[in-house]
Every structure is written in structure tokens, then in C-alpha cells.
Amino acid sequence: GAVVSQHPSRVICKSGTSVKIECRSLDFQATTMFWYRQFPKQSLMLMATSNEGSKATYEQGVEKDKFLINHASLTLSTLTVTSAHPEDSSFYICSAYPLAGLYYGTQYFGPGTRLLVL
Amino acid sequence: GENVEQHPSTLSVQEGDSAVIKCTYSDSASNYFPWYKQELGKGPQLIIDIRSNVGEKKDQRIAVTLNKTAKHFSLHITETQPEDSAVYFCAADSGGGADGLTFGKGTHLIIQP
């Protein structure tokens, strides 16, 4: 089936540093990729929507200067958490929406990246 | 914006019994309703979805029903097995799956052996 990968799977960093998370669609091209955040025992909350070659669209309350999104190709989107602080510690999950083909019509989620900021 | 309510938050059933999880949504423009299963420390896995032009969909032990008039949809799992234990999320989207999803708060399903 459609596979979406994320790297790294978990990362620990010091407060004030920046962390980059990659999201790749492995067997399909994605028109759109989404970034979600999930705090412990809570639901997934949409952070932003990114389209290849365009600026990302951020949800209300999500700081675009803090969560930088780059969608440079139809198979890769990156999320950079800049100047991370302990309150940014969370589970970050991406999803990808296929451009066309067998998997078209639904989003496929990555395995998530656990970020811990000390 | 869309608001999705999900009930119950925790559901415990005996192995072999059926489980039903219910969701309501607020945006009448929503037209795509997926259900996800999430195991601890993993990303959500799509288990079934339904679009607004269909009232019911079934895939082996899993079924989803949609009532557009009442704006609610439900997940039905029959003959539950221990491996069905997980957190289940419903979601809604007005872009046919191509927009960001609004998720319910999740149901922790526990299958008692």
C-alpha cells in the first residue's frame, strides 16, 4: 500500500536549537502534504498544509516563523521547529495526499516523529 | 470551522462482542469521513472511510454508517479480537480527503479476553 516515511522517528534536543523533520511519500507523488501535532493522550491537530512549490498554509494559532515548512518536491516535505522550547515537545505526524493513481482519494499518514525538548 | 465530537472516550468489550463508536460533525459541507486506528507510539492507520454519497460501507468485520441529515457517522466492529485494542479516531473533511482533517478526540477500545 501507500507508504509515508518520517525521519527521524524520535529526537531529543536542547532548548533553543532547531530541529528538522522529513516526510517522504515512498511509492506515490503527493500533491499536498499535511503536518499534524499530537500531545500525549490527545487527538491530532492540523498545523499546516503544504503544496509543492507553494508557501504553506498555517492553521490559526500556529506560528509560521516557528514551524518552517518546505515542500520542495512531490515526494518530500520538511518541518523545521526553530528555537525549540519544552512546550514544543510533541508527536509530529505528516500525511500525504496522492497526486493520482491507485492511492488517489485519501491521505496516508507517516509513523510520526517524537520530539523531546530539554 | 468543522467540529467533530466522538463518543465514548473509552469502550471496553468482551472478546467476540461488537463495538460501536459514534461521531457527530458540525459542517454540512463535510463530505469525507475516515476512521483511523492508532497504536501506542505509531502513526494513525486508515481502517475504513466513507464519502457523503454513500450511507454504509463494510469491509470484513468493520463497517461505517453515515447519516448526513443528522450529521453523524459510526464505526462498527464485529467479532472483536485482542488485536483490535487501540485508540480509534474519526475525522471529517470537506475536500473529499484532499483537505486537512478535523479529528475527534479518540476512543480507547479495550478488548477483554
Side-chain angles (χ1 to χ4, degrees):
Chain A
V3 179
V4 176
S5 70
Q6 282 185 240
H7 179 79
S9 58
R10 56 178 61 200
V11 56
I12 301 173
C13 70
K14 292 182 179 179
S15 185
T17 60
S18 295
V19 174
K20 181 186 283 189
I21 302 169
E22 290 186 350
C23 175
R24 292 181 186 272
S25 55
L26 299 185
D27 48 1
F28 64 92
Q29 292 183 319
T31 311
T32 307
M33 288 184 170
F34 304 90
W35 288 95
Y36 296 82
R37 180 167 54 183
Q38 185 178 32
F39 291 108
K41 296 189 178 181
Q42 293 189 24
S43 189
L44 287 80
M45 296 293 292
L46 179 67
M47 297 176 66
T49 301
S50 75
N51 290 291
E52 184 261 342
S54 303
K55 287 186 179 180
T57 303
Y58 292 82
E59 295 300 301
Q60 192 172 9
V62 178
E63 301 174 55
K64 63 179 181 180
D65 294 331
K66 181 169 185 61
F67 298 100
L68 300 179
I69 292 172
N70 184 278
H71 193 157
S73 78
L74 287 172
T75 59
L76 173 64
S77 176
T78 60
L79 169 68
T80 301
V81 184
T82 62
S83 187
H85 288 99
E87 57 267 30
D88 298 323
S89 298
S90 189
F91 194 44
Y92 292 87
I93 311 171
C94 71
S95 71
Y97 186 80
L99 178 64
L102 178 64
Y103 306 128
Y104 180 76
T106 196
Q107 295 179 34
Y108 294 90
F109 282 81
T113 295
R114 177 77 59 193
L115 171 63
L116 176 61
V117 185
L118 301 177
Chain B
E2 175 67 277
N3 181 48
V4 177
E5 300 282 343
Q6 183 173 346
H7 298 280
S9 57
T10 303
L11 178 60
S12 181
V13 301
Q14 289 293 125
E15 182 179 352
D17 288 350
S18 296
V20 180
I21 303 171
K22 299 181 179 182
C23 288
T24 60
Y25 61 97
S26 62
D27 188 352
S28 57
S30 288
N31 56 15
Y32 176 67
F33 308 92
W35 285 90
Y36 292 90
K37 176 183 181 181
Q38 187 178 31
E39 297 176 339
L40 194 61
K42 297 184 178 180
Q45 177 189 5
L46 178 72
I47 56 171
I48 197 166
D49 58 7
I50 192 167
R51 299 182 190 273
S52 59
N53 59 345
V54 176
E56 185 174 357
K57 184 176 178 180
K58 189 174 180 180
D59 182 5
Q60 299 183 344
R61 296 188 297 111
I62 297 172
V64 56
T65 58
L66 170 65
N67 183 325
K68 284 192 298 181
T69 303
K71 293 186 197 164
H72 70 70
F73 56 113
S74 300
L75 176 71
H76 304 253
I77 305 174
T78 59
E79 300 172 21
T80 53
Q81 301 168 5
E83 53 266 36
D84 293 331
S85 295
V87 179
Y88 291 80
F89 291 97
C90 63
D93 159 34
S94 60
D99 288 345
L101 295 169
T102 300
F103 283 84
K105 293 194 174 185
T107 297
H108 186 192
L109 177 61
I110 302 165
I111 307 301
Q112 304 277 7

